[in-house]
Amino acid sequence: GLFVLCGMTLWQLFADALQAPMRMVSQSASMLTKVQFPREALIIAAAGDVLFAFMIRLALLIPCLIWVRVPITWTIFFVPVGVFALVVLGITLGLLLTPLAILYQDVSQGLPFLASLWMFVTPVLYSADRSGAGSVFIKLNPVTALLDTTRAWLLAQPPEWIWEFILIFAIAA
């Protein structure tokens, strides 16, 4: 149960970050054309919104971690790195999709549906297996390494995807 709850919390963080750039650009469309300001401020504001929503979810997750008596180890200090990596990957992919969303409204309307389908090929509800029928999708999915490693750090387990985590985070940044 806690495994799935942590996975869902981290997935929602990524999904929020993925949709944040499009949401901020569409909400600020009139301001973008009339006011001169640094456009990066929209992305920083979007990241702030995503992190604020995550903090609320985390405040609900922490009592569950305490209730189940998950040990607090030194890996807990890496959790913010994993959270930041998920936000960076989500915002990066969202920024790549934003020009398409401006041109075609279907992109921003269909993204939540695609994100929910994407969740099922990401080890959110199940553990990541490097061998087996679906392992190709799991290995090619950039969210797998970030989400699974962050969840392992949060649950005081050894991470299995650390090198993939480092590579994907570096590329996204």
Side-chain angles (χ1 to χ4, degrees), residues 29-94:
S30 64
M31 187 172 68
L32 283 168
T33 58
K34 296 177 184 171
V35 180
Q36 189 69 295
F37 67 98
R39 306 303 190 234
E40 297 84 12
L42 290 177
I43 303 308
I44 293 169
D49 283 350
V50 169
L51 289 173
F52 181 74
F54 174 72
M55 292 308 223
I56 293 171
R57 290 186 197 101
L58 189 62
L60 299 172
L61 179 63
I62 288 173
C64 296
L65 294 170
I66 293 169
W67 179 266
V68 180
R69 295 190 177 129
V70 172
I72 298 174
T73 62
W74 60 272
T75 61
I76 200 78
F77 294 112
F78 289 122
V79 172
V81 174
V83 166
F84 184 67
L86 283 164
V87 170
V88 167
L89 179 65
I91 286 180
T92 300
L93 294 175

Side-chain angles (χ1 to χ4, degrees), residues 1 3-4 15 21 24 57 59-62 88 101-102 109 132-133 147 173:
F3 181 85
V4 172
M24 287 305 262
R57 290 186 197 101
L60 299 172
L61 179 63
I62 288 173
V88 167
I102 292 170
Q109 292 172 352
L147 189 138

Side-chain angles (χ1 to χ4, degrees), residues 101-119:
I102 292 170
L103 292 173
Y104 307 106
Q105 283 291 27
D106 294 342
V107 173
S108 59
Q109 292 172 352
L111 189 60
F113 175 71
L114 290 175
S116 61
L117 289 178
W118 191 355
M119 181 185 78

Side-chain angles (χ1 to χ4, degrees), residues 76-156:
I76 200 78
F77 294 112
F78 289 122
V79 172
V81 174
V83 166
F84 184 67
L86 283 164
V87 170
V88 167
L89 179 65
I91 286 180
T92 300
L93 294 175
L95 281 172
L96 292 173
L97 292 172
T98 298
L100 286 173
I102 292 170
L103 292 173
Y104 307 106
Q105 283 291 27
D106 294 342
V107 173
S108 59
Q109 292 172 352
L111 189 60
F113 175 71
L114 290 175
S116 61
L117 289 178
W118 191 355
M119 181 185 78
F120 291 110
V121 295
T122 304
V124 174
L125 307 173
Y126 53 89
S127 61
D129 187 17
R130 289 183 183 255
S131 62
S135 66
V136 173
F137 294 114
I138 290 172
K139 288 177 187 174
L140 292 176
N141 186 348
V143 184
T144 296
L146 300 183
L147 189 138
D148 203 53
T149 302
T150 305
R151 178 172 43 202
W153 288 333
L154 189 60
L155 297 177

